């Protein structure tokens, strides 16, 4: 290989081992290979990732991009020494945003900043990214690993990425067709997903907690397992829904919870009226609220509260939409309805 003679003793003395980077690339190749889909042109290791989209039948293709990171959830992975799941979160945070426009994700690139490049750790992180890409049906066509000695502790890392999707211009989701009486559907989350972890870490004092001990109120699961549960990727069920039903708006419920995210998918002058008793809240949120003595408003304005994504459809399409989502693995349910109001979200 071209880099077999590449080695810098001076750079290694400064804390950067470029040969570890080469080993990391070798170890991750099998994971990346799982993500190869039609359109992937390049292998990893080049200066850019190449992708040839299939534009057949498209009149005005529009590219849609999204970028995000894992946030401080990665500290849980660090404390547990488990690095193969947060990559799923990284992909999910990007592709779930993209489908809110009606676009299909086509490729993804990641960026890993790390205090000391340990090839096995990097490969584990990329294995999660690859799994996320498989779930989203997009190709992992490149990325970057940067060793940061002196600015990060040796066991620290940060994981971020971005994705690009494509949609026919006339199929971009338009909120203009929404009207009072339309129904808001909920797609359940797998848990906390990847938002609010600065508060979560404070509430549970994770630096000193026994993350491996089973917790009765969490169904006997350990706190670490529950906190590290990957963000659910909604691409396939939502794309299947949009093929058969008119979708009038989608919100990815991330940081800011209900109050920030649901209004982003609503037509001006309309609000989502949601009965709190209808929200299927997982036990972990009750535990966070109880231990942290957090107000109900702050809970719904910080976390997804068990709703990873909300979708607006007409009332007459609601049952068909629920059936399609359930056929595609989502236990979706009716969360609320749209009413004339400027409040954004009304919880009652």
């Amino acid at each position: 290989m071209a880099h077999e003679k590449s080695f810098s003793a001076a750079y290694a003395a400064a804390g950067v081992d470029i040969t570890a980077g080469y080993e990391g690339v070798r170890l991750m190749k099998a994971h990346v290979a799982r993500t190869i889909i039609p359109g992937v042109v390049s292998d990893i290791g080049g200066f850019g990732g190449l992708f040839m989209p299939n534009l057949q039948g498209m009149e005005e293709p529009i590219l849609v991009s999204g970028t995000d990171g894992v946030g401080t959830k990665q500290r849980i992975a660090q404390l547990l020494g488990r690095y193969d799941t947060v990559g799923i979160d990284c992909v999910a945070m990007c592709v779930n945003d993209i489908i809110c426009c009606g676009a299909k994700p086509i490729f993804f690139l990641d960026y890993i900043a790390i205090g000391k490049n340990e090839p096995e750790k990097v490969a584990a992180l990329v294995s999660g990214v690859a799994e996320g890409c498989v779930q989203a049906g997009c190709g992992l066509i490149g990325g970057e690993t940067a060793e940061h000695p002196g600015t990060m502790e040796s066991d620290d890392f940060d994981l971020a990425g971005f994705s690009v999707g494509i949609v026919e211009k006339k199929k971009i989701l338009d909120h203009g067709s929404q009207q009072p009486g339309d129904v808001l559907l909920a797609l359940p989350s797998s848990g906390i997903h990847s938002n609010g972890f600065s508060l979560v870490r404070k509430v549970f004092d994770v630096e000193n907690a026994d993350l491996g001990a089973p917790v009765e109120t969490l169904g006997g699961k350990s706190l670490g397992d529950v906190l590290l549960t990957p963000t659910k990727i909604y691409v396939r069920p939502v794309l299947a829904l949009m093929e058969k039903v008119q979708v009038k708006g989608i919100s990815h419920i991330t940081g800011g919870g209900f109050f920030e995210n649901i209004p982003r998918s609503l037509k001006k002058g309309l609000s989502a009226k949601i009965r709190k008793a209808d929200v299927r809240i997982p036990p972990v949120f009750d535990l966070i609220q109880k231990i942290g003595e957090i107000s109900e408003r702050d809970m719904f304005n910080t976390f997804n509260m068990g709703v990873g994504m909300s979708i607006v459809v007409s009332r007459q399409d609601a049952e068909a939409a629920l059936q399609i989502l359930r056929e595609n693995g989502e236990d979706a349910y009716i969360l609320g309805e749209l009413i004339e109001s400027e409040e954004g979200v009304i919880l009652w």
Side-chain angles (χ1 to χ4, degrees), residues 99-121:
I99 58 172
C100 290
C101 299
K104 172 182 170 55
I106 54 177
F107 63 79
F108 188 88
L109 286 88
D110 60 34
Y111 176 83
I112 301 170
I114 196 163
K116 180 177 174 57
N117 192 337
E118 300 174 29
E120 292 78 10
K121 181 190 290 188

Side-chain angles (χ1 to χ4, degrees), residues 192-323:
I192 301 171
H193 283 183
S194 193
N195 300 102
F197 269 84
S198 293
L199 179 55
V200 168
R201 291 185 300 110
K202 179 177 182 292
V203 167
F204 291 122
D205 187 18
V206 298
E207 300 297 323
N208 301 301
D210 183 357
L211 297 178
V215 180
E216 184 178 350
T217 54
L218 298 178
K221 296 180 180 179
S222 73
L223 180 60
D225 284 342
V226 171
L227 297 185
L228 209 54
T229 300
T231 303
K232 187 181 287 188
I233 292 176
Y234 299 100
V235 172
R236 295 182 189 275
V238 171
L239 289 177
L241 177 66
M242 290 190 294
E243 287 181 2
K244 298 181 179 180
V245 170
Q246 181 189 7
V247 173
K248 299 184 177 186
I250 302 176
S251 283
H252 181 201
I253 313 301
T254 56
F258 279 36
F259 291 103
E260 180 178 324
N261 292 289
I262 292 178
R264 295 168 67 182
S265 68
L266 302 183
K267 179 181 175 181
K268 184 175 175 57
L270 295 179
S271 295
K273 185 178 181 181
I274 300 169
R275 194 166 70 105
K276 285 179 285 189
D278 291 336
V279 183
R280 301 176 186 174
I281 302 175
V284 66
F285 295 110
D286 294 328
L287 191 61
I288 291 170
Q289 184 173 11
K290 179 180 179 181
I291 295 176
E293 298 181 339
I294 302 169
S295 71
E296 183 178 74
R297 169 78 191 200
D298 282 356
M299 290 296 296
F300 277 94
N301 211 154
T302 304
F303 302 109
N304 67 59
M305 300 302 284
V307 180
M309 187 161 278
S310 64
I311 299 177
V312 179
V313 297
S314 65
R315 186 166 295 277
Q316 59 264 34
D317 288 335
E319 285 304 318
L322 289 172
Q323 181 63 28

